[in-house]
Amino acid sequence: MKHVINIAMKSVYVLMPVTIVMAFLWAPPAELLGDYSRIIYFHVPLAWVSVLAFVVSGILSVIFLLDKKNRFSGLDGKSFNSAAIGLAFTVCTVMTGSIWAKLSWGSFWNWDPRETSIVFILLIYIAYFCLQAALAGKSSRGKIGSSYLIVAMATLPFFVFLIPRIVWSLHPETIINVNRTIYMDDQMWITLLTALISFSVLYVYLFNLMNRIMVLKHRIGEHPHAAD
Amino acid sequence: MSLAKKNSAEEGSVLVRDILRNLQKDFRVEFRSRFAVNIAVSFAGIVTISISLTAGGAPFPVKVQSILLWVVLFFSAMNGLAHIFVREEDQGTSLFLRITRSADSIYISKFIFNQIFMMIIGTVVTPLFVFFVGVDVIHVLHFIMSVIAGGFSIAASTTPLAAMAAKAGGKGSLFTIISFPILLPVLWISISSTAGALNEARPESGTVIFLLAFSGFITAISILLFRFIWLEN
């Protein structure tokens, strides 16, 4: 089973180049934005992985708080790692989103509800790392950090689904076609789905890597001369 | 009456009794020094008068009036909302509370205290601001509802975060850093809702509903999580 998971994770070495080739060479350009529309194959998967990473960190936090018998070790550290990956992906989402905004709307930042929401999410998770830093060395660090992550996860639906619907938005049903509706042909859909799968596998790969580093650091901390 | 029903009724009455005792203690301690209320109301008064003085009677656009009102309300409240938990940690009474009272009763009493505190701030600041800045409120009921719902959301969202900040050593800047991102949507929607009450067009009630829904949701999650924040093991 472990062997299968390892192979699945290593598929990222194939999936990512395939996604890049498909996004730039195979998928046709959209009618209105032309080649600029190719950013969708990176922006949407980055945003998806950001939310996925934050939800995983929230779920791990719930399990950490409910796990009174300590059956799963290092869950608070794992939720921290997932939040860190989520934060990095959110920064990339903001960057690709602002490039797309410049191409579509003429300026990098417009305070559109979706742009605003992603900034809120970014700030919430930056605040989480500030809280973790302030709690360094305290026994309550894991519990308080996990509680904050759950509160943060609980606010995600408000930012992702609710705010863009109650505040007027520039964010179109994607301005990539003349009639300003979502229309993607089969090649575009396949490329987007491949990108979503590739970035999700990349997340799993990074998450696993960070967890392994965390375990190694912990072991070195316990046995500082083990490597000698 | 069955034994299970009797036990749950007894637990309920103990919870209510503990909440009332905590509230009584908190109000006594607060009004002995009146530290939080004095600071918040003084801050609000000074800022409002400064805005009015520097504007020199020049009228602000509706959006600016609404932004300024919420900036004053937000920073006035920030001075006092964390105080309720920080004080327990500073004075070393949190350990006593942990031993003698249930986490639920502590959370509910602190939540009620913060709501009352926020209401006091809103009641003092809003008329003062309307008077000095010369705000022309067109939809009075919507304006009042916006201030109440916004204040309720601020107090509801900051109560669990105040407990976290207090546990982290009660550093004042930390409380602002961790609560500001959670409060940003509340402020954003409150500003938009208040601006709606100052415009001639009929305001939308969706903003007030969002604020109430957000605070209800955060409160429900906070009640579930508080025992993990409050109890050491």
Side-chain angles (χ1 to χ4, degrees):
Chain A
M1 185 65 185
K2 204 174 176 182
H3 188 62
V4 175
I5 293 170
N6 265 337
I7 291 171
M9 279 195 298
K10 281 178 182 164
S11 67
V12 75
Y13 297 124
V14 178
L15 281 170
M16 286 309 291
V18 166
T19 303
I20 293 167
V21 169
M22 284 174 84
F24 285 105
L25 300 174
W26 190 65
E31 282 173 31
L32 190 66
L33 280 181
D35 281 328
Y36 294 145
S37 66
R38 294 181 195 281
I39 203 164
I40 193 175
Y41 307 119
F42 301 95
H43 176 67
V44 175
L46 283 168
W48 151 250
V49 172
S50 309
V51 175
L52 175 72
F54 292 144
V55 170
V56 168
S57 69
I59 291 169
L60 290 177
S61 300
V62 172
I63 300 170
F64 172 74
L65 291 181
L66 295 178
D67 182 24
K68 286 177 184 162
K69 290 180 182 170
N70 213 9
R71 279 174 294 182
F72 307 101
S73 62
L75 279 182
D76 54 333
K78 285 176 185 169
S79 54
F80 179 92
N81 290 341
S82 189
I85 298 170
L87 189 69
F89 274 80
T90 309
V91 172
C92 295
T93 308
V94 171
M95 283 161 65
T96 51
S98 53
I99 293 168
W100 197 359
K102 175 71 178 170
L103 301 173
S104 303
W105 305 327
S107 72
F108 284 109
W109 205 257
N110 307 281
W111 289 114
D112 170 77
R114 277 183 211 272
E115 288 180 336
T116 313
S117 290
I118 200 87
V119 170
F120 289 169
I121 293 171
L122 196 67
L123 291 175
I124 285 174
Y125 283 91
I126 289 172
Y128 163 71
F129 290 101
C130 294
L131 180 67
Q132 286 292 83
L135 287 163
K138 296 198 175 183
S139 59
S140 54
R141 189 184 191 216
K143 275 182 166 185
I144 294 178
S146 298
S147 303
Y148 186 87
L149 280 178
I150 296 168
V151 172
M153 181 180 69
T155 59
L156 281 179
F158 285 91
F159 298 123
V160 178
F161 301 113
L162 217 58
I163 286 183
R165 276 160 186 80
I166 64 164
V167 181
W168 185 82
S169 170
L170 274 172
H171 225 95
E173 302 314 322
T174 49
I175 313 181
I176 58 172
N177 287 289
V178 181
N179 58 1
R180 303 197 166 204
T181 54
I182 295 178
Y183 175 73
M184 292 168 76
D185 66 16
D186 291 345
Q187 276 174 293
M188 292 167 100
W189 274 118
I190 291 167
T191 310
L192 183 61
L193 284 173
T194 311
L196 284 169
I197 293 166
S198 304
F199 277 84
S200 303
V201 175
L202 178 66
Y203 159 69
V204 176
Y205 180 81
L206 291 173
F207 184 48
N208 184 50
L209 199 67
M210 286 179 77
N211 290 341
R212 282 165 60 192
I213 292 169
M214 183 182 74
V215 171
L216 286 174
K217 272 186 181 171
H218 187 68
R219 277 187 200 158
I220 291 168
E222 278 179 355
H223 309 287
H225 303 295
D228 297 343
Chain B
M1 192 190 279
S2 71
L3 193 63
K5 272 188 179 175
K6 197 179 171 187
N7 282 344
S8 83
E10 273 175 16
E11 275 175 22
S13 68
V14 168
L15 181 72
V16 173
R17 193 194 61 203
D18 282 353
I19 291 167
L20 292 175
R21 282 182 180 171
N22 288 339
L23 274 172
Q24 198 179 17
K25 179 204 73 110
D26 284 338
F27 276 105
R28 269 197 193 148
V29 174
E30 183 52 45
F31 285 95
R32 197 179 292 152
S33 65
R34 287 183 291 278
F35 171 78
V37 173
N38 279 349
I39 293 279
V41 172
S42 309
F43 177 86
I46 290 165
V47 174
T48 308
I49 290 166
S50 305
I51 290 168
S52 179
L53 183 73
T54 48
F60 290 116
V62 163
K63 190 81 178 174
V64 176
Q65 286 178 347
S66 147
I67 290 168
L68 288 173
L69 171 66
W70 281 101
V71 166
V72 175
L73 277 170
F74 172 74
F75 284 103
S76 310
M78 277 294 112
N79 285 318
L81 287 171
H83 182 67
I84 190 79
F85 282 108
V86 173
R87 191 182 57 209
E88 303 287 5
E89 296 292 334
D90 284 349
Q91 295 176 350
T93 47
S94 60
L95 182 63
F96 171 76
L97 279 179
R98 228 170 274 145
I99 296 166
T100 56
R101 305 270 198 271
S102 70
D104 289 344
S105 73
I106 301 285
Y107 182 77
I108 295 169
S109 59
K110 303 290 185 198
F111 173 82
I112 294 170
F113 182 90
N114 271 353
Q115 289 296 350
I116 294 170
F117 176 80
M118 196 63 214
M119 269 184 219
I120 293 170
I121 300 293
T123 312
V124 174
V125 172
T126 312
L128 203 69
F129 189 86
V130 169
F131 176 76
F132 276 108
V133 179
V135 179
D136 188 13
V137 182
I138 295 169
H139 303 279
V140 180
L141 187 65
H142 187 80
F143 180 77
I144 294 168
M145 284 302 293
S146 302
V147 173
I148 291 173
F152 190 80
S153 291
I154 289 176
S157 313
T158 49
T159 307
L161 301 173
M164 290 181 197
K167 284 277 172 187
K171 301 168 187 86
S173 53
L174 181 71
F175 174 61
T176 312
I177 287 167
I178 63 169
S179 54
F180 192 59
I182 304 266
L183 287 180
L184 265 174
V186 171
L187 285 176
W188 188 33
I189 301 293
S190 300
I191 288 167
S192 144
S193 185
T194 311
L198 308 181
N199 273 321
E200 299 227 341
R202 196 167 168 269
E204 285 180 28
S205 58
T207 48
V208 175
I209 294 168
F210 173 89
L211 291 169
L212 294 175
F214 187 82
S215 42
F217 195 63
I218 290 282
T219 306
I221 299 264
S222 307
I223 289 173
L224 293 173
L225 289 176
F226 186 70
R227 68 190 65 226
F228 299 108
I229 302 168
W230 183 247
L231 301 172
E232 294 285 334
N233 290 305

